[in-house]
Amino acid sequence: MIRILAVLAAFAFATPAWSQALPAGLDKANAIVIDTTKGRVIVKLRPDLAPQHAERIKLLARDGYYNNVPFHRVIEGFMAQTGDGQRFNGTGGSKYPNLPAEFSNVPFKRGIVGMARSSEPNSANSQFFIMFADGSFLNGKYTVVGEVVSGMDVVDKIKRGEPVQDPDKMVKVQVASDIK
């Protein structure tokens, strides 16, 4: 009995904590893990809807571009926006070119992750937002790139503001399959 407990204890310490938190059946190659100042958020990316946008988010995560980036625009009842690793205030993009729109018929509802852009439809680059509530007025006008599958309670705790004073941050963003 003691030997069995020792083996079980060793296994528990050998299994990374992050892997225990991933939802069953999640495609780790198409998911990002966002460790924020409020906790962990796991996003299932949707390359079936927006292949270029999903790849861009993974590329920027692997570049470390999103690490320590604030949630610079957080509107109660609407969304939390982040992803400006250049200027940290919502006016910057990455070193990569803007992406063409990949609009779909997937509705913007609570937990949907959309790509931020200017008034030009083909201007999404690095910034994205997480919906707090339904936003049907965005349907067909912005790219749906993913959906929160774990951690909406964390998103709900993000400090509000436009701009946010002393904002919460994405401390570290990783593609789930890259976490060792």
Side-chain angles (χ1 to χ4, degrees), residues 9-24 26 28 33 35 40-42 150 174 176 179-180:
F11 176 78
F13 288 112
T15 304
W18 71 266
S19 67
Q20 296 170 350
L22 292 178
L26 184 68
K28 294 178 191 175
V33 176
D35 288 313
R40 178 166 279 180
V41 177
I42 300 171
S150 177
Q174 301 172 84
I179 300 173
K180 303 295 179 220

Side-chain angles (χ1 to χ4, degrees), residues 87-102:
R87 296 191 185 114
F88 305 103
N89 65 6
T91 63
S94 73
K95 64 183 179 183
Y96 303 107
N98 288 346
L99 296 166
E102 294 180 300

Side-chain angles (χ1 to χ4, degrees), residues 106-140:
V106 172
F108 278 85
K109 60 180 182 156
R110 179 172 167 76
I112 288 292
V113 178
M115 291 299 287
R117 62 170 178 81
S118 71
S119 59
E120 163 57 41
N122 299 314
S123 63
N125 188 291
S126 64
Q127 296 184 46
F128 60 90
F129 56 91
I130 303 170
M131 299 296 293
F132 288 124
D134 293 352
S136 61
F137 56 94
L138 300 175
N139 293 350

Side-chain angles (χ1 to χ4, degrees), residues 1 4 20 55-56 66 97 101 129 178:
M1 181 67 160
I4 292 171
Q20 296 170 350
E55 283 305 311
R56 173 63 57 84
Y66 290 132
F129 56 91
D178 295 350

Side-chain angles (χ1 to χ4, degrees), residues 16-83:
W18 71 266
S19 67
Q20 296 170 350
L22 292 178
L26 184 68
D27 176 6
K28 294 178 191 175
N30 286 302
I32 57 169
V33 176
I34 305 171
D35 288 313
T36 76
T37 48
K38 296 294 189 199
R40 178 166 279 180
V41 177
I42 300 171
V43 173
K44 171 187 169 183
L45 296 173
R46 295 291 306 268
D48 58 318
L49 298 176
Q52 294 179 71
H53 290 76
E55 283 305 311
R56 173 63 57 84
I57 287 178
K58 292 189 297 185
L59 174 67
L60 293 172
R62 288 180 170 129
D63 284 353
Y65 181 84
Y66 290 132
N67 296 344
N68 296 308
V69 172
F71 287 90
H72 63 271
R73 182 175 180 232
V74 184
I75 302 171
E76 182 65 42
F78 181 30
M79 58 86 207
Q81 186 172 331
T82 186

